[in-house]
Amino acid sequence: MKALLFLLTATAAFAADAPLLKDDFSDPKLEQRRASRGDWKFADNTATCTQDDELYKKNKDHGPILFYDLAYTDAAIRFAVKPDAANKTLVFTANGAEGHIFRIVFSATGASIRAFPPDEKDHKSIALGTEPTLKLKPGEWTNVSVELRGPKATVKAGEFTQTYEHASIARAKTNLSVGFSFGTVSVKNVMVEN
């Protein structure tokens, strides 16, 4: 009986620590992942895509994207990205049933941190921060971490760390995405944990 109780306790503890999502790109058809708006290649535990300008226009100026369908409210999200020199923007977004909730837009001029209050007309975003020093280096991997806890979002990228706060961040999420415009981008080590 003690052995069974120990086994059940250990199993529950392991399940509590198990990630909500882990994508090492070893499986090109991971059930929770939707790779779209481009010809994504999966090799060497990395997802890589080059923007197709025709698809970009067809998708109303939206480039390649990796969506992960995942229900969560609070989570720690980690991934690594490597843009090339032709890349103009790289975007991380947490979405809810009604649309965007939280977003980081990386560009050559820095990063913009945005929240999307549900009561805004046309689902417009508001700026939580503009970070001119938060830039991705072309040709180099950058580890990105986004921790969403209640109304707070802590963003880490390379040596940068900053926490932002807005009530709308606390809403339930239904997916997350990493997308980009122009050039070629590689993504690896996607992990979502409670």
Side-chain angles (χ1 to χ4, degrees), residues 180-191:
F180 70 95
S181 63
F182 300 98
T184 300
V185 168
S186 295
V187 181
K188 67 180 182 178
N189 301 331
V190 177
M191 176 85 72

Side-chain angles (χ1 to χ4, degrees), residues 147-167:
E147 187 161 344
L148 304 170
R149 301 275 175 229
K152 295 183 180 181
T154 300
V155 175
K156 296 178 184 179
E159 301 298 314
F160 178 90
T161 301
Q162 182 70 40
T163 299
Y164 308 89
E165 188 168 353
H166 193 275

Side-chain angles (χ1 to χ4, degrees), residues 23 34 39 76:
D23 191 359
R34 290 183 284 132
D39 184 17

Side-chain angles (χ1 to χ4, degrees), residues 2-17:
K2 285 182 182 179
L4 178 59
L5 183 59
F6 174 77
L7 181 61
L8 291 173
T9 304
T11 302
F14 178 74
D17 291 339

Side-chain angles (χ1 to χ4, degrees), residues 105-160:
V105 180
F106 297 93
S107 72
T109 59
S112 173
I113 315 300
R114 320 279 309 164
F116 294 80
D119 55 347
E120 288 291 318
K121 287 187 176 187
D122 300 323
H123 200 64
K124 290 188 179 180
S125 67
I126 60 167
L128 299 181
T130 301
E131 308 296 347
T133 63
L134 181 50
K135 300 176 185 177
L136 302 175
K137 294 180 182 175
E140 293 184 23
W141 286 104
T142 301
N143 291 315
V144 178
S145 169
V146 180
E147 187 161 344
L148 304 170
R149 301 275 175 229
K152 295 183 180 181
T154 300
V155 175
K156 296 178 184 179
E159 301 298 314
F160 178 90

Side-chain angles (χ1 to χ4, degrees), residues 68-139:
Y68 290 93
D69 296 316
L70 179 69
Y72 64 102
T73 299
D74 293 344
I77 301 152
R78 292 189 305 276
F79 56 95
V81 292
K82 182 173 74 169
D84 71 359
N87 176 251
K88 291 190 179 177
T89 62
L90 188 130
V91 181
F92 166 82
T93 307
N95 299 296
E98 71 287 346
H100 306 320
I101 292 176
F102 177 80
R103 174 173 279 170
I104 307 167
V105 180
F106 297 93
S107 72
T109 59
S112 173
I113 315 300
R114 320 279 309 164
F116 294 80
D119 55 347
E120 288 291 318
K121 287 187 176 187
D122 300 323
H123 200 64
K124 290 188 179 180
S125 67
I126 60 167
L128 299 181
T130 301
E131 308 296 347
T133 63
L134 181 50
K135 300 176 185 177
L136 302 175
K137 294 180 182 175

